[in-house]
Amino acid sequence: AQSVAQPEDQVNVAEGNPLTVKCTYSVSGNPYLFWYVQYPNRGLQFLLKYITGDNLVKGSYGFEAEFNKSQTSFHLKKPSALVSDSALYFCAVRGVESGGFKTIFGAGTRLFVKA
Amino acid sequence: GAGVSQTPSNKVTEKGKYVELRCDPISGHTALYWYRQSLGQGPEFLIYFQGTGAADDSGLPNDRFFAVRPEGSVSTLKIQRTERGDSAVYLCASSLGVNTEAFFGQGTRLTVV
């Protein structure tokens, strides 16, 4: 069965410092991996995805993520955090089960960026 | 439409009543998903459709929950004999293909009193 783990409930970082939000996954076959962000009282917004190819993928708002097959991880990163990055971040995995569309989300990591 | 549309945005119902939540996906998207999200939690998978058929309904919590997508576009999530524990935000999403991201609607906040 597919699963996603986000081991940190919360990540605190100072503005201007690099940030990392961790994600590990379990899925049959090759994974499709996604990161979404949710601001208060807003819907889920897509940030980036890994389907195939280069292990480092770049997305919206300066975010990037690195796919590591051996560690089954897909950590979200940003070189320099902004206060406006403070939000709830979700990692998701889509596997080949059920025709390849079933997408499972992690529990989320709350990011606080201090000025 | 330009995005995924969900109606109503808010629904308050009494315990034991029947409710229907509607989702209008992005035009041309073949995959449609329903999730449930409680405050501060991740979206919990309920069901997804590929076209008109429910390809995977393993996330539906019990037989009070049912969803349809009769023409492969609009979907309705139906909850019978609602319970207070059903209170949550119900999210709908759609995607074009297996290697594309899902786009989410704003959700329907269901409150069972």
Side-chain angles (χ1 to χ4, degrees):
Chain A
Q2 299 168 221
S3 66
V4 178
Q6 293 183 242
E8 303 153 316
D9 290 337
Q10 184 171 311
V11 169
N12 297 311
V13 65
E15 188 174 35
N17 284 359
L19 70 87
T20 299
V21 182
K22 296 179 180 178
C23 171
T24 59
Y25 66 90
S26 175
V27 69
S28 300
N30 293 323
Y32 296 157
L33 296 156
F34 306 85
W35 276 101
Y36 286 81
V37 60
Q38 189 173 40
Y39 296 97
N41 300 314
R42 301 272 298 274
L44 283 154
Q45 297 177 32
F46 168 75
L47 277 180
L48 50 78
K49 65 184 177 186
Y50 172 82
I51 303 300
T52 188
D54 195 349
N55 289 344
L56 184 66
V57 293
K58 296 185 182 297
S60 306
Y61 311 120
F63 283 93
E64 57 190 30
E66 187 167 11
F67 169 62
N68 187 316
K69 188 172 183 177
S70 63
Q71 297 185 7
T72 61
S73 67
F74 189 57
H75 301 330
L76 181 71
K77 301 180 180 184
K78 187 172 182 180
S80 179
L82 300 172
V83 172
S84 58
D85 292 331
S86 299
L88 194 53
Y89 290 81
F90 294 99
C91 180
V93 64
R94 180 181 295 166
V96 297
E97 298 168 22
S98 306
F101 278 90
K102 183 176 181 178
T103 308
I104 300 298
F105 283 77
T109 299
R110 189 166 298 279
L111 174 66
F112 285 105
V113 182
K114 297 181 183 179
Chain B
V4 178
S5 176
Q6 291 188 246
T7 54
S9 55
N10 281 284
K11 176 71 177 178
V12 180
T13 190
E14 292 181 347
K15 179 176 177 296
K17 298 291 188 182
Y18 168 84
V19 295
E20 289 189 352
L21 311 179
R22 176 188 168 103
C23 173
D24 199 341
I26 294 172
S27 178
H29 281 195
T30 57
L32 184 147
Y33 313 79
W34 283 100
Y35 291 86
R36 178 169 69 175
Q37 187 177 25
S38 299
L39 189 63
Q41 302 296 312
E44 173 193 4
F45 171 80
L46 296 178
I47 185 172
Y48 92 82
F49 292 86
Q50 174 64 5
T52 60
D56 189 324
D57 64 358
S58 61
L60 295 177
N62 51 59
D63 62 6
R64 295 187 297 106
F65 289 74
F66 189 71
V68 296
R69 194 186 185 197
E71 298 179 355
S73 178
V74 171
S75 176
T76 305
L77 179 65
K78 307 179 180 190
I79 310 174
Q80 299 177 323
R81 303 182 304 279
T82 52
E83 300 177 357
R84 292 195 179 88
D86 299 334
S87 298
V89 176
Y90 288 80
L91 299 170
C92 178
S94 68
S95 68
L96 185 60
V98 69
N99 59 352
T100 61
E101 62 272 24
F103 293 86
F104 280 80
Q106 292 297 306
T108 294
R109 183 177 299 278
L110 176 67
T111 304
V112 182
V113 297

